[in-house]
Amino acid sequence: MAVEADAFSLREVLAAFQTCVTEQREVLLGPYLRGWRGLIRFLHSLGAIFSFVSKDAVAKVQIMENYCGGEQREKYVSLQSMVEYELASGLVDLQKRSGRPDSGCRTVLRLHRALRWLQLFLEGLRTGTEDSRTSVICTDSYNASLAAYHPWVIRKAATVAFCALPSRNAFLEIMNVGTAEEAVAMLGEALPYICDVYGITQELFAQHKLLDLP
Ligand code: 1PW
């Protein structure tokens, strides 16, 4: 157990996002979900207060893993194949959640929006100074992204949870990448990959008018 916890490093999580994008600029769901699983593990290491934040992400990842291991698994290899399949088969509720409440498209859209938050947060952490407050970085990045999609009560609870975040240096240490400087350097290397995954997904969903799925 201890060995496993020690071996955990945010580097590997971010590397999963690096292996997501194929030469054809498709986003592979396998590594995408592996990246998320790692992130969730990371959130857990931040303490119980973050379990409410990760709970929904766990549920969403689970829905997607079920699709990826299900009968139609070959349709869920990449985001592109998923979108094509679900739209062509009428599996996506476009106006209101009803008969198909948990399509892969609407589920990934939630993870996709949360990924933007993560991206902004890690970028804020990277460019911050030693005395930057992580709770402020986290709140700012949340307000600039995911908050727009959340009702007041979730925004409130999230903002309260952020206050429990450790200091920037402690946070960089929890990442388990080495010294604070090494962690910052790793973020500089890894963030462009998350940006890339985010950008391709955003374009794909925009193209198919899927950015507002209920
Ligand atoms: C320290 C940096 C952390 C970044 C990790 C991102 C985790 C994102 C999880 C946020 C979840 C907040 C509570 C749940 C809200 C759901 O209602 C909402 N889900 C998301 C992922 O935004 C919308 O899902 P729904 O209700 O339409 O199924």
Side-chain angles (χ1 to χ4, degrees), residues 29-30 33 59-78 81-82 85-86 91-93 97 99-108 111:
L29 261 167
L33 297 174
K60 302 274 191 280
V61 168
Q62 188 61 57
I63 292 172
M64 292 316 300
E65 284 175 347
N66 291 346
Y67 283 128
C68 290
E71 266 176 36
Q72 301 296 332
R73 65 173 69 104
E74 79 280 9
K75 308 291 195 321
Y76 289 87
V77 169
S78 70
S81 63
M82 173 191 81
Y85 164 68
E86 289 197 340
L91 294 174
V92 185
D93 281 339
R97 283 182 97 184
R100 313 279 188 189
D102 288 329
S103 65
C105 287
R106 69 90 61 194
T107 306
V108 165
L111 292 174

Side-chain angles (χ1 to χ4, degrees), residues 36 39-40 42-43 46 50 52-57 60 97 102 106-107 109-115 117-119 121-122 138 141-142 146 149-151 154 158 162 165 171 213-214:
W36 266 105
L39 278 178
I40 288 162
F42 180 67
L43 283 178
L46 293 176
F50 271 84
F52 124 87
V53 174
S54 58
K55 210 169 140 197
D56 187 65
K60 302 274 191 280
R97 283 182 97 184
D102 288 329
R106 69 90 61 194
T107 306
L109 178 63
R110 270 65 188 175
L111 292 174
H112 169 67
R113 289 168 177 167
L115 195 65
W117 171 28
L118 180 82
Q119 181 196 325
F121 172 67
L122 293 178
C138 195
S141 48
Y142 175 72
L146 203 51
Y149 306 100
H150 288 166
I154 291 187
F162 300 159
L165 280 171
F171 203 99
L213 288 180

